[in-house]
Amino acid sequence: TQKSDRLSTGALVEQLALKGDRLHYKLRKGTGPEEGWVSIKLTGKDLVVPWVEMGENGPKRRPPAWKVVKQPQIEFAQMKEVASKNDPGDYYGIKFPYTKDMIVEMGPEWLTQAFHKSGVLPRDNAVTKISDAKEFVGGGAGLKCTFTVEYKKDEPYLHKKLFCKLPHKPGTSDRYFVSCMWNHDRPEIVFNIYLQESVSFRVPKFYFGDISAATTNFVLITESIPWAETGKKDFSPGEIEPAYDKYKDWELPDGGPMYYLACCRALGKMAGYHKQKRLHKSVDEMFPMPDPMPRELPKTLPAL
């Protein structure tokens, strides 16, 4: 049978290359040439638009292919020099900000690129403004900040108030122990990229995250949780309690048991999902048991 020389309306194609308004494609669904070039616009009208599979919480993300990344041993004296480099991330392959000031400087253009890469933002939408970036102290595993964004098109599944986790400043013992000796940063990035949507409990919506083994720099951007004000005791259904300080169980309404039970139940469900193979197929490779402590500690190890 003779094949049509045009793509059918509603055809699904894979982008192989894009040069200006010309798209090099491979046909995935529909009728027409199996491969070729088409114009994506004609006199300002869209002829080919990005296809997004929508779920309950917006576009369905397609995480990058999983790969094992080995972190090289880095000496304490090397940290400042190593961390001053802005290398691409190990998973999404783009450069990223790793301080609050860099987020503001790289601005809406980078956020748009990152959110397109992660799949949370459709290609026909963009971040247009970033404002109110504030760093704050909370926990000891890294620096934190919040900022507000505006979009070209508001959607119910897009959050405007975002939270960002960043590494400790280089040259400090906190940065060296957390990022090098204990390697605490990568598991959190891996969880958010690959496992967030398969666990049995709700976690803050992931917008972008990546890490570089060569520099130990990382960034994690999620929705900002609307915590209730500190001291509030009565809550409506769905309202989130205040963020209680670590190791201060006496501040919890019941002293702790109800909260620890909820945590243990959630962990038990996740263990059950693991046994049922409902998590990522490479989850054991993603979170391996740590190697035994080496007999020889790195040189110039900072004091605790």
Side-chain angles (χ1 to χ4, degrees):
T1 59
Q2 185 177 5
K3 291 186 178 179
S4 171
D5 61 350
R6 293 186 175 215
L7 290 171
S8 60
T9 300
L12 183 65
V13 299
E14 176 185 353
Q15 176 180 315
L16 301 178
L18 183 64
K19 294 184 178 180
D21 286 343
R22 296 286 289 171
L23 174 73
H24 183 199
Y25 73 88
K26 185 172 184 178
L27 182 64
R28 290 299 183 189
K29 186 178 180 181
T31 60
E34 292 293 322
E35 186 175 326
W37 289 83
V38 293
S39 296
I40 62 173
K41 291 184 179 180
L42 181 63
T43 61
K45 181 180 179 181
D46 289 330
L47 300 178
V48 182
V49 295
W51 179 76
V52 178
E53 184 181 1
M54 300 299 289
E56 293 181 6
N57 299 310
K60 289 189 176 180
R61 291 196 300 111
R62 291 180 174 82
W66 163 250
K67 63 179 180 179
V68 175
V69 179
K70 295 290 186 182
Q71 182 173 309
Q73 182 168 310
I74 298 171
E75 301 293 346
F76 179 68
Q78 299 175 295
M79 278 301 305
K80 279 191 176 181
E81 179 184 356
V82 166
S84 67
K85 300 174 183 176
N86 190 3
D87 286 3
D90 296 329
Y91 301 111
Y92 286 108
I94 63 173
K95 293 185 177 182
F96 57 86
Y98 46 89
T99 68
K100 182 207 62 151
D101 292 341
M102 287 179 71
I103 292 173
V104 175
E105 181 182 340
M106 295 173 77
E109 184 177 349
W110 179 83
L111 287 171
T112 297
Q113 179 193 21
F115 294 176
H116 285 169
K117 271 281 187 182
S118 69
V120 296
L121 188 68
R123 294 277 173 173
D124 62 351
N125 205 348
V127 177
T128 59
K129 184 179 179 181
I130 177 173
S131 61
D132 200 28
K134 297 178 181 176
E135 195 169 282
F136 67 93
V137 176
L143 303 179
K144 284 91 174 177
C145 76
T146 56
F147 57 93
T148 302
V149 298
E150 293 182 13
Y151 300 98
K152 178 182 174 182
K153 293 190 294 186
D154 289 340
E155 298 288 356
Y157 54 80
L158 292 173
H159 297 85
K160 291 187 174 182
K161 188 72 179 288
L162 300 176
F163 165 85
C164 185
K165 187 171 181 181
L166 304 158
H168 284 291
K169 290 183 169 69
T172 65
S173 58
D174 281 342
R175 174 65 179 271
Y176 188 71
F177 279 104
V178 171
S179 299
C180 297
M181 292 294 293
W182 301 331
N183 195 22
H184 279 184
D185 304 326
R186 186 172 297 271
E188 189 168 6
I189 298 297
V190 169
F191 174 88
N192 277 277
I193 295 176
Y194 295 100
L195 265 69
Q196 183 186 94
E197 295 180 356
S198 63
V199 293
S200 56
F201 44 84
R202 188 190 182 297
V203 294
K205 181 175 179 176
F206 171 79
Y207 277 78
F208 184 81
D210 213 338
I211 187 169
S212 167
T215 67
T216 74
N217 290 324
F218 74 90
V219 64
L220 175 62
I221 301 174
T222 71
E223 66 172 294
S224 180
I225 300 299
W227 307 103
E229 291 184 7
T230 301
K232 186 172 182 179
K233 300 296 183 183
D234 297 320
F235 306 97
S236 302
E239 192 174 0
I240 299 173
E241 295 184 29
Y244 302 111
D245 285 337
K246 293 180 180 178
Y247 315 121
K248 293 184 178 180
D249 289 358
W250 61 86
E251 292 184 353
L252 299 173
D254 73 336
M258 177 173 63
Y259 297 84
Y260 285 109
L261 178 59
C263 289
C264 289
R265 280 177 171 162
L267 289 172
K269 285 182 180 179
M270 187 163 68
Y273 271 41
H274 177 230
K275 290 295 183 183
Q276 293 177 333
K277 301 189 183 302
R278 295 171 66 177
L279 302 177
H280 195 284
K281 63 181 181 180
S282 301
V283 65
D284 292 335
E285 197 174 55
M286 293 174 173
F287 305 97
M289 291 296 290
D291 295 329
M293 231 3 221
R295 292 187 178 181
E296 292 187 13
L297 293 176
K299 300 170 185 175
T300 65
L301 188 68
L304 285 170

